[in-house]
Structure formats: C-alpha cells, structure tokens
Amino acid sequence: MAQTVEEVVRYADEQFEKENFQFAAQEYNRALFFGSDQVDRLSIQIAHCYNELSNYDLAATFYDRSFKYSQSDSLKNEAVLGKAFCLLMKSENILALNELLYLSDDPNLLQKTGLHYLKGIALYSLGDDSLAYDEFYTVLNLTGAGDSVKNLLDNEFEKVFRYNKRYNPKRAYMMSGIIPGSGQLSVGAFKEGINSMVLIAGLYLVAVQIIRAYSLLDAGLTLFPWIQRYYLGGMDKAKGLALSKIEKKRYQSYQKILGLTTPAAFQ
C-alpha cells in the first residue's frame, strides 16, 4: 500500500528522533516531492539533519528555504539561527553576523540566548574581544547563571585581554633583532631561542677566525649571507612563534568560554 504524505512525514520524524539523520533527510525530501504543504517545517527539519551531518552548505540552503516559506516569526528565527551557526562552522563570521540581523524584534528567550551566543562566537573569532565578552556575559544573564560562573568568565577574558601584550609579535621580532634568540625566549620558546643564539654566535666566532687568518673582506664574503639569512630568519621565527602562541592561548580560552556559556540548545 502506498504511503500518504502524512505517513512519510511521521516516519521521517521518527527517524529524526532516533538520530538517523541521513535517512530522516531523505524521507523529509520525499514528503516535499510528494507535495506536502509543510514546506517551512519540513525544510527546517531537513536543514537540522544536514547540520547534524556537518553538511553546512546544504543545511544553509534549507534554512533559507524555510525562512522564505514560513509565516511564523518563531520558525523564521530558528532558521536564521541555524544558518548563522552553519556560517560560523565555515568560519564565515561576518556573514554570520549579517544573517543574525534578520532575527525578529521579539524573539523568545531561547532564541534571544542563541542570538547573543552566536554573536559572541563570531566576534571572538574576529578578535573583537570586548564586544564578545558583552555577548557571552548576556548569555549568562539570560540563562540565570550564578556569580561563580560569571567570575570564571571574567577571569578568562582577563587572560584573553592580556595575550597580545604578553606575547607581542612586534616586540618578539625586535628583540631577536637586537639579541638573536631573545624574542623566542620572550614567548616561552626556550629551545628555539637557545638554538638561534648558539647558531648566530657560532657564525660570528667562525667569522672572527676567518678575519684573523685572512681578512675582513674574506669573512664578509664567506659568512655574511649565512649570518644575514639566519639573523633575519630568527627574527621572522620569533614573530611567528608569538603569533602561534597567541592563537593557541586564545583557542584554549575559547574552549573554556564555550564550556561556561553554551546554552543547552547548542550542546
């Protein structure tokens, strides 16, 4: 016996509840093909399925479709938040912030929480830490988090605000230009710093020996290109290590921030 559209949708819903997302998406699509009039609801369910399957491009397409066909502000808001999440997962932070502008003026509490949470992620990824802090703090207020959690968030952002100063790439670069290896040491890369110091010192010692045995010109022609290469290379290396250190520390803080602020709907 042929299934009705309603039976297909019901079966798709059952598969979705069982987290069989690939099969659920297939069945929702089949219901749309058969002419279901629930285009907005089925589209957002398909989008959720592809989101769970990490197919963010397809998910975004169906979130857009749900937004287009829905007359419900609540469903439209869900589609906006879903698409913004997909864009964030693709590191398209500016586009995610733009997408969130389509949220209605009066979202429900869960949607408002999602709005500030996603904005916090986008702004943090863009390096706008002060605004990101405001968004994440708003999430804690909306979810009724206690003072202890807010204090933990404050402490983590205090670290974030200091990373660029503590591991300043320009300073590391300049320090290695004055004393080879010192820039690496300043960001905690002790092995790299010592290696740079030893290498440049060794080249200078060899240069002194050549000068004594031959001439300054001979030393310059023989070793200057090597000294210049490793000297400038060490400065670039120090700057790169500082940038990597900042990125690593920011990521560690990011994980802790998410652990403190992620709403239940995004877990």
Side-chain angles (χ1 to χ4, degrees):
M1 181 183 293
Q3 287 179 302
T4 65
V5 174
E6 290 74 16
E7 288 172 335
V8 173
V9 172
R10 190 157 50 246
Y11 183 65
D13 287 338
E14 291 174 1
Q15 296 306 307
F16 187 87
E17 289 299 319
K18 294 177 181 178
E19 299 185 0
N20 296 327
F21 299 115
Q22 186 68 53
F23 200 62
Q26 176 184 316
E27 294 302 297
Y28 285 129
N29 271 301
R30 196 155 71 95
L32 285 177
F33 179 78
F34 287 155
S36 172
D37 58 359
Q38 303 180 61
V39 177
D40 55 349
R41 189 184 86 80
L42 297 188
S43 293
I44 206 164
Q45 286 299 103
I46 295 170
H48 289 336
C49 289
Y50 287 132
N51 203 342
E52 293 289 345
L53 295 168
S54 300
N55 191 335
Y56 301 116
D57 287 323
L58 262 180
T61 297
F62 279 95
Y63 282 127
D64 275 339
R65 189 174 186 182
S66 178
F67 184 91
K68 177 181 178 181
Y69 285 98
S70 181
Q71 300 299 314
S72 163
D73 280 348
S74 181
L75 197 60
K76 282 180 176 288
N77 286 343
E78 189 177 343
V80 167
L81 294 172
K83 184 179 178 182
F85 177 82
C86 292
L87 292 169
L88 289 175
M89 295 304 293
K90 297 194 299 175
S91 299
E92 296 177 354
N93 302 295
I94 296 293
L95 290 179
L97 288 173
N98 289 338
E99 183 66 25
L100 291 170
L101 295 174
Y102 290 102
L103 210 72
S104 69
D105 294 332
D106 190 28
N108 63 41
L109 179 59
L110 291 178
Q111 292 167 349
K112 187 181 295 185
T113 303
L115 166 67
H116 291 287
Y117 176 69
L118 295 179
K119 285 180 69 176
I121 291 175
L123 291 166
Y124 187 90
S125 299
L126 292 168
D128 199 335
D129 299 328
S130 294
L131 288 179
Y133 168 76
D134 291 340
E135 297 296 337
F136 285 123
Y137 200 87
T138 300
V139 171
L140 294 185
N141 281 331
L142 291 172
T143 56
D147 290 340
S148 60
V149 177
K150 292 178 180 178
N151 288 336
L152 289 173
L153 184 68
D154 288 341
N155 292 337
E156 203 56 49
F157 265 98
E158 284 177 7
K159 296 178 186 177
V160 171
F161 295 141
R162 292 197 300 265
Y163 289 148
N164 284 329
K165 184 177 181 180
R166 170 65 182 83
Y167 306 106
N168 189 297
K170 185 179 294 185
R171 183 183 62 207
Y173 181 86
M174 296 302 296
M175 286 179 66
S176 280
I178 299 171
I179 303 176
S182 61
Q184 290 92 321
L185 294 177
S186 72
V187 299
F190 299 108
K191 181 179 178 181
E192 290 85 351
I194 292 171
N195 285 343
S196 182
M197 285 181 173
V198 171
L199 178 61
I200 298 298
L203 288 173
Y204 275 114
L205 287 174
V206 172
V208 169
Q209 296 302 317
I210 293 175
I211 292 170
R212 287 177 177 175
Y214 301 99
S215 69
L216 178 62
L217 179 61
D218 289 320
L221 291 174
T222 304
L223 293 177
F224 180 74
W226 292 96
I227 292 174
Q228 184 183 41
R229 175 184 175 184
Y230 288 112
Y231 193 83
L232 295 177
M235 294 170 68
D236 289 334
K237 182 69 172 178
K239 181 179 180 180
L241 286 169
L243 290 170
S244 295
K245 192 78 169 186
I246 292 172
E247 184 178 353
K248 180 180 178 181
K249 289 291 186 180
R250 283 181 61 82
Y251 181 75
Q252 291 172 346
S253 288
Y254 177 66
Q255 294 299 312
K256 293 178 181 177
I257 291 165
L258 293 188
L260 294 169
T261 63
T262 301
F266 289 89
Q267 293 177 353

Short mmCIF file of all heavy atoms in Angstrom, two decimals, residues 140-178:
data_model
loop_
_atom_site.label_atom_id
_atom_site.label_comp_id
_atom_site.label_asym_id
_atom_site.label_seq_id
_atom_site.Cartn_x
_atom_site.Cartn_y
_atom_site.Cartn_z
N LEU A 140 24.96 34.52 29.90
CA LEU A 140 24.91 34.06 31.30
C LEU A 140 23.74 34.72 32.04
O LEU A 140 23.08 34.07 32.85
CB LEU A 140 26.23 34.36 32.01
CG LEU A 140 27.46 33.61 31.49
CD1 LEU A 140 28.67 33.92 32.36
CD2 LEU A 140 27.21 32.11 31.44
N ASN A 141 23.50 35.97 31.76
CA ASN A 141 22.36 36.65 32.39
C ASN A 141 21.03 36.02 31.96
O ASN A 141 20.13 35.80 32.77
CB ASN A 141 22.36 38.14 32.04
CG ASN A 141 23.36 38.93 32.86
OD1 ASN A 141 23.67 38.56 33.99
ND2 ASN A 141 23.87 40.01 32.29
N LEU A 142 20.91 35.74 30.67
CA LEU A 142 19.66 35.18 30.15
C LEU A 142 19.41 33.76 30.64
O LEU A 142 18.26 33.35 30.79
CB LEU A 142 19.68 35.20 28.62
CG LEU A 142 19.62 36.59 27.96
CD1 LEU A 142 19.85 36.47 26.46
CD2 LEU A 142 18.26 37.25 28.23
N THR A 143 20.48 33.02 30.88
CA THR A 143 20.32 31.64 31.35
C THR A 143 20.30 31.53 32.86
O THR A 143 20.20 30.43 33.41
CB THR A 143 21.44 30.75 30.79
OG1 THR A 143 22.72 31.30 31.15
CG2 THR A 143 21.36 30.64 29.27
N GLY A 144 20.42 32.67 33.56
CA GLY A 144 20.35 32.66 35.02
C GLY A 144 21.57 32.06 35.69
O GLY A 144 21.47 31.50 36.78
N ALA A 145 22.73 32.21 35.07
CA ALA A 145 23.96 31.67 35.66
C ALA A 145 24.30 32.42 36.94
O ALA A 145 24.01 33.61 37.08
CB ALA A 145 25.11 31.79 34.66
N GLY A 146 24.94 31.72 37.87
CA GLY A 146 25.31 32.32 39.14
C GLY A 146 26.56 33.17 39.06
O GLY A 146 27.27 33.19 38.05
N ASP A 147 26.85 33.86 40.15
CA ASP A 147 28.03 34.75 40.20
C ASP A 147 29.34 33.98 40.01
O ASP A 147 30.29 34.52 39.45
CB ASP A 147 28.06 35.51 41.53
CG ASP A 147 26.96 36.56 41.62
OD1 ASP A 147 26.44 36.95 40.56
OD2 ASP A 147 26.63 36.97 42.75
N SER A 148 29.38 32.74 40.49
CA SER A 148 30.61 31.97 40.37
C SER A 148 30.97 31.73 38.90
O SER A 148 32.15 31.82 38.51
CB SER A 148 30.48 30.63 41.09
OG SER A 148 29.41 29.86 40.55
N VAL A 149 29.95 31.45 38.08
CA VAL A 149 30.19 31.23 36.64
C VAL A 149 30.59 32.56 35.98
O VAL A 149 31.50 32.59 35.15
CB VAL A 149 28.93 30.66 35.96
CG1 VAL A 149 29.16 30.49 34.46
CG2 VAL A 149 28.55 29.32 36.59
N LYS A 150 29.94 33.64 36.36
CA LYS A 150 30.28 34.95 35.80
C LYS A 150 31.71 35.34 36.16
O LYS A 150 32.42 35.94 35.34
CB LYS A 150 29.29 35.99 36.29
CG LYS A 150 27.88 35.80 35.75
CD LYS A 150 26.92 36.85 36.32
CE LYS A 150 25.51 36.65 35.77
NZ LYS A 150 24.54 37.61 36.34
N ASN A 151 32.13 35.01 37.38
CA ASN A 151 33.50 35.31 37.79
C ASN A 151 34.51 34.52 36.96
O ASN A 151 35.58 35.02 36.60
CB ASN A 151 33.69 35.01 39.27
CG ASN A 151 32.97 36.01 40.16
OD1 ASN A 151 32.72 37.15 39.75
ND2 ASN A 151 32.64 35.61 41.38
N LEU A 152 34.16 33.27 36.66
CA LEU A 152 35.05 32.45 35.83
C LEU A 152 35.17 33.04 34.42
O LEU A 152 36.25 33.05 33.83
CB LEU A 152 34.52 31.02 35.75
CG LEU A 152 34.64 30.18 37.02
CD1 LEU A 152 33.93 28.84 36.84
CD2 LEU A 152 36.11 29.95 37.38
N LEU A 153 34.04 33.54 33.90
CA LEU A 153 34.08 34.19 32.59
C LEU A 153 34.94 35.45 32.64
O LEU A 153 35.75 35.70 31.73
CB LEU A 153 32.67 34.54 32.13
CG LEU A 153 32.56 35.13 30.72
CD1 LEU A 153 32.92 34.08 29.67
CD2 LEU A 153 31.16 35.68 30.46
N ASP A 154 34.78 36.24 33.69
CA ASP A 154 35.59 37.45 33.86
C ASP A 154 37.08 37.10 33.88
O ASP A 154 37.89 37.75 33.21
CB ASP A 154 35.22 38.17 35.16
CG ASP A 154 33.86 38.85 35.09
OD1 ASP A 154 33.38 39.09 33.96
OD2 ASP A 154 33.29 39.14 36.16
N ASN A 155 37.42 36.09 34.65
CA ASN A 155 38.83 35.70 34.78
C ASN A 155 39.41 35.24 33.45
O ASN A 155 40.56 35.55 33.11
CB ASN A 155 38.97 34.58 35.81
CG ASN A 155 38.66 35.04 37.22
OD1 ASN A 155 38.76 36.23 37.52
ND2 ASN A 155 38.29 34.12 38.10
N GLU A 156 38.60 34.50 32.68
CA GLU A 156 39.10 34.00 31.39
C GLU A 156 39.31 35.13 30.41
O GLU A 156 40.31 35.16 29.67
CB GLU A 156 38.14 32.96 30.82
CG GLU A 156 38.79 32.01 29.84
CD GLU A 156 39.99 31.28 30.44
OE1 GLU A 156 39.87 30.74 31.56
OE2 GLU A 156 41.05 31.26 29.77
N PHE A 157 38.39 36.10 30.40
CA PHE A 157 38.55 37.22 29.48
C PHE A 157 39.68 38.15 29.92
O PHE A 157 40.30 38.80 29.06
CB PHE A 157 37.23 37.98 29.32
CG PHE A 157 36.45 37.53 28.13
CD1 PHE A 157 35.41 36.63 28.27
CD2 PHE A 157 36.76 37.99 26.86
CE1 PHE A 157 34.68 36.20 27.16
CE2 PHE A 157 36.04 37.57 25.74
CZ PHE A 157 35.00 36.67 25.90
N GLU A 158 39.96 38.22 31.19
CA GLU A 158 41.12 38.99 31.64
C GLU A 158 42.39 38.42 31.03
O GLU A 158 43.31 39.16 30.65
CB GLU A 158 41.19 38.99 33.17
CG GLU A 158 40.17 39.91 33.83
CD GLU A 158 40.21 39.82 35.35
OE1 GLU A 158 41.12 39.15 35.88
OE2 GLU A 158 39.33 40.42 36.01
N LYS A 159 42.46 37.10 30.94
CA LYS A 159 43.62 36.46 30.28
C LYS A 159 43.64 36.81 28.80
O LYS A 159 44.69 37.14 28.24
CB LYS A 159 43.54 34.94 30.45
CG LYS A 159 43.64 34.43 31.87
CD LYS A 159 43.49 32.92 31.89
CE LYS A 159 43.42 32.38 33.30
NZ LYS A 159 43.20 30.91 33.32
N VAL A 160 42.48 36.71 28.16
CA VAL A 160 42.39 36.99 26.73
C VAL A 160 42.87 38.40 26.42
O VAL A 160 43.62 38.63 25.45
CB VAL A 160 40.93 36.80 26.23
CG1 VAL A 160 40.77 37.31 24.79
CG2 VAL A 160 40.52 35.34 26.33
N PHE A 161 42.46 39.36 27.23
CA PHE A 161 42.84 40.76 27.00
C PHE A 161 44.36 40.97 27.14
O PHE A 161 44.89 41.94 26.60
CB PHE A 161 42.11 41.68 27.97
CG PHE A 161 40.62 41.72 27.78
CD1 PHE A 161 39.76 41.76 28.86
CD2 PHE A 161 40.07 41.71 26.50
CE1 PHE A 161 38.38 41.79 28.69
CE2 PHE A 161 38.69 41.76 26.31
CZ PHE A 161 37.84 41.79 27.41
N ARG A 162 45.04 40.06 27.83
CA ARG A 162 46.49 40.22 28.05
C ARG A 162 47.35 39.48 27.04
O ARG A 162 48.56 39.72 26.97
CB ARG A 162 46.86 39.74 29.46
CG ARG A 162 46.32 40.61 30.59
CD ARG A 162 47.07 40.33 31.89
NE ARG A 162 46.94 38.94 32.30
CZ ARG A 162 46.03 38.48 33.17
NH1 ARG A 162 45.14 39.32 33.68
NH2 ARG A 162 45.99 37.21 33.51
N TYR A 163 46.76 38.58 26.26
CA TYR A 163 47.58 37.74 25.38
C TYR A 163 48.41 38.54 24.37
O TYR A 163 49.60 38.27 24.18
CB TYR A 163 46.71 36.73 24.63
CG TYR A 163 46.15 35.63 25.49
CD1 TYR A 163 44.90 35.07 25.22
CD2 TYR A 163 46.86 35.15 26.59
CE1 TYR A 163 44.38 34.06 26.02
CE2 TYR A 163 46.34 34.14 27.40
CZ TYR A 163 45.10 33.61 27.10
OH TYR A 163 44.58 32.61 27.89
N ASN A 164 47.80 39.51 23.73
CA ASN A 164 48.53 40.28 22.72
C ASN A 164 49.68 41.07 23.32
O ASN A 164 50.71 41.28 22.67
CB ASN A 164 47.59 41.22 21.98
CG ASN A 164 46.71 40.49 20.97
OD1 ASN A 164 47.12 39.49 20.41
ND2 ASN A 164 45.51 40.98 20.75
N LYS A 165 49.51 41.52 24.57
CA LYS A 165 50.59 42.25 25.23
C LYS A 165 51.66 41.29 25.74
O LYS A 165 52.86 41.55 25.62
CB LYS A 165 50.02 43.06 26.40
CG LYS A 165 51.05 43.92 27.11
CD LYS A 165 50.40 44.76 28.21
CE LYS A 165 51.42 45.63 28.91
NZ LYS A 165 50.80 46.46 29.99
N ARG A 166 51.22 40.16 26.31
CA ARG A 166 52.17 39.19 26.86
C ARG A 166 53.03 38.56 25.77
O ARG A 166 54.23 38.35 25.95
CB ARG A 166 51.39 38.10 27.61
CG ARG A 166 52.22 36.89 28.04
CD ARG A 166 53.27 37.26 29.07
NE ARG A 166 54.08 36.11 29.44
CZ ARG A 166 55.14 35.67 28.76
NH1 ARG A 166 55.53 36.31 27.66
NH2 ARG A 166 55.81 34.62 29.15
N TYR A 167 52.46 38.28 24.62
CA TYR A 167 53.20 37.61 23.53
C TYR A 167 53.23 38.51 22.30
O TYR A 167 52.91 38.09 21.20
CB TYR A 167 52.54 36.28 23.19
CG TYR A 167 52.36 35.37 24.38
CD1 TYR A 167 51.11 35.16 24.95
CD2 TYR A 167 53.46 34.71 24.94
CE1 TYR A 167 50.96 34.33 26.06
CE2 TYR A 167 53.31 33.88 26.04
CZ TYR A 167 52.05 33.70 26.59
OH TYR A 167 51.90 32.88 27.69
N ASN A 168 53.61 39.77 22.50
CA ASN A 168 53.58 40.76 21.43
C ASN A 168 54.50 40.37 20.27
O ASN A 168 55.72 40.28 20.44
CB ASN A 168 54.02 42.11 21.99
CG ASN A 168 53.82 43.23 21.01
OD1 ASN A 168 54.41 43.24 19.94
ND2 ASN A 168 52.97 44.18 21.36
N PRO A 169 53.94 40.11 19.07
CA PRO A 169 54.77 39.67 17.94
C PRO A 169 55.80 40.70 17.51
O PRO A 169 56.94 40.35 17.17
CB PRO A 169 53.73 39.44 16.82
CG PRO A 169 52.45 39.21 17.54
CD PRO A 169 52.51 40.09 18.76
N LYS A 170 55.41 41.99 17.52
CA LYS A 170 56.35 43.03 17.11
C LYS A 170 57.53 43.11 18.08
O LYS A 170 58.68 43.26 17.68
CB LYS A 170 55.63 44.38 17.04
CG LYS A 170 56.49 45.52 16.50
CD LYS A 170 55.71 46.82 16.45
CE LYS A 170 54.59 46.74 15.43
NZ LYS A 170 53.90 48.07 15.28
N ARG A 171 57.23 42.98 19.38
CA ARG A 171 58.30 43.02 20.38
C ARG A 171 59.23 41.83 20.22
O ARG A 171 60.46 41.97 20.30
CB ARG A 171 57.69 43.02 21.78
CG ARG A 171 58.73 43.14 22.90
CD ARG A 171 58.07 43.06 24.26
NE ARG A 171 57.42 41.78 24.45
CZ ARG A 171 56.37 41.57 25.25
NH1 ARG A 171 55.85 42.57 25.92
NH2 ARG A 171 55.84 40.38 25.36
N ALA A 172 58.66 40.65 19.99
CA ALA A 172 59.49 39.45 19.80
C ALA A 172 60.40 39.62 18.59
O ALA A 172 61.57 39.23 18.63
CB ALA A 172 58.59 38.22 19.64
N TYR A 173 59.86 40.20 17.54
CA TYR A 173 60.64 40.42 16.31
C TYR A 173 61.81 41.37 16.58
O TYR A 173 62.95 41.10 16.20
CB TYR A 173 59.71 41.00 15.24
CG TYR A 173 60.36 41.25 13.92
CD1 TYR A 173 60.48 40.24 12.97
CD2 TYR A 173 60.86 42.52 13.59
CE1 TYR A 173 61.06 40.47 11.73
CE2 TYR A 173 61.45 42.77 12.36
CZ TYR A 173 61.54 41.74 11.43
OH TYR A 173 62.14 41.98 10.22
N MET A 174 61.52 42.49 17.26
CA MET A 174 62.56 43.48 17.54
C MET A 174 63.61 42.95 18.50
O MET A 174 64.81 43.21 18.34
CB MET A 174 61.91 44.75 18.11
CG MET A 174 60.97 45.46 17.13
SD MET A 174 61.78 45.95 15.59
CE MET A 174 62.97 47.14 16.21
N MET A 175 63.17 42.20 19.51
CA MET A 175 64.12 41.65 20.48
C MET A 175 65.13 40.73 19.81
O MET A 175 66.33 40.77 20.10
CB MET A 175 63.38 40.91 21.59
CG MET A 175 62.66 41.81 22.58
SD MET A 175 61.77 40.87 23.86
CE MET A 175 63.15 40.10 24.73
N SER A 176 64.63 39.90 18.88
CA SER A 176 65.54 38.99 18.18
C SER A 176 66.45 39.74 17.23
O SER A 176 67.51 39.25 16.86
CB SER A 176 64.74 37.93 17.40
OG SER A 176 64.31 36.91 18.27
N GLY A 177 66.04 40.95 16.83
CA GLY A 177 66.91 41.78 16.01
C GLY A 177 68.05 42.38 16.81
O GLY A 177 69.12 42.66 16.27
N ILE A 178 67.82 42.57 18.11
CA ILE A 178 68.86 43.13 18.99
C ILE A 178 69.75 42.02 19.54
O ILE A 178 70.98 42.09 19.46
CB ILE A 178 68.21 43.93 20.13
CG1 ILE A 178 67.39 45.09 19.56
CG2 ILE A 178 69.27 44.44 21.10
CD1 ILE A 178 66.52 45.80 20.59
#
